[in-house]
Amino acid sequence: IWGIAELFSVSGVWGEFLLRLVRELSPRNGVELGTALGLSTAYQAAALELNGLGTLTTFEGARAWAAVAEQGLSGLGLADRASVEVGPIDEALPSALERIGQVDYAFLDADHTEEATVKHFDTIVRHMAPGGVAVLDDIAFSVGMSRAWHAIRRRDRVADGIALGRMGILSVK
């Protein structure tokens, strides 16, 4: 598990960044693509708990990893703030977004390909509230992720964006 965490999870610095961002934004409905073991999920859910409102729906394709994330969230007392949807994101995301309603915050950290990142953003942004914020992880991971970041920044609903090295932050119109 430690090896998986090192490869697929945010570091403590970036986890704290997500916690502080979610604390400041106080979203009612958030989504996260790419739960992995749930470390970034826990930081974001902890922020929601500290805020006293909001929920995060997170998506993970691997059942075993989702089980570890659920166990961790439960152990931290955060199961009421974050729920894990298990299965392929492309299948689970559209119906989950219909159920969730308006999204105030999104963290995209799943399939690190240009095509999937753009597709997932385009799916989520249709459900985002004006003034919502989307965070893309690993925007400098590859040439494809860099292209995805630049393509998404040019979307009509994107008001502004800033690249912070590893992560890109977007505000939605």
Side-chain angles (χ1 to χ4, degrees), residues 13 25 30 35 53 72 101 123 140:
V13 169
L25 296 172
T35 313
L53 72 115
T123 300

XYZ file of all heavy atoms in Angstrom, residues 13 25 30 35 53 72 101 123 140:
54
model
N 2.133 18.332 1.372
C 2.051 19.759 1.017
C 0.847 20.009 0.111
O 0.075 20.949 0.334
C 3.357 20.220 0.339
C 3.215 21.597 -0.275
C 4.506 20.188 1.322
N -13.249 27.752 -0.114
C -14.351 27.733 -1.084
C -15.685 27.331 -0.458
O -16.736 27.737 -0.937
C -14.030 26.783 -2.234
C -12.829 27.156 -3.098
C -12.516 26.022 -4.076
C -13.077 28.461 -3.834
N -19.075 18.596 -4.112
C -17.813 18.445 -4.810
C -17.689 17.060 -5.403
O -18.330 16.110 -4.934
N -9.889 8.419 -6.871
C -9.770 8.292 -5.422
C -8.442 7.675 -5.004
O -7.835 8.100 -4.023
C -10.900 7.390 -4.868
O -12.135 7.783 -5.433
C -10.958 7.444 -3.364
N -20.192 21.714 6.490
C -21.136 21.489 5.402
C -20.411 20.993 4.175
O -19.211 21.158 4.034
C -21.915 22.766 5.049
C -21.150 23.873 4.343
C -21.730 24.056 2.949
C -21.264 25.160 5.114
N -10.428 4.034 5.305
C -9.725 5.195 5.843
C -10.662 6.338 6.182
O -10.562 6.947 7.250
N -26.508 16.991 -8.659
C -27.020 18.324 -8.971
C -25.871 19.257 -9.281
O -24.892 18.869 -9.906
N -17.576 16.973 -19.217
C -18.744 16.348 -18.592
C -19.110 17.063 -17.294
O -20.278 17.370 -17.046
C -18.469 14.849 -18.314
O -18.193 14.193 -19.554
C -19.653 14.182 -17.645
N 1.515 18.992 -15.525
C 2.828 18.950 -16.161
C 3.365 17.519 -16.246
O 4.537 17.301 -16.540
C 3.813 19.827 -15.396
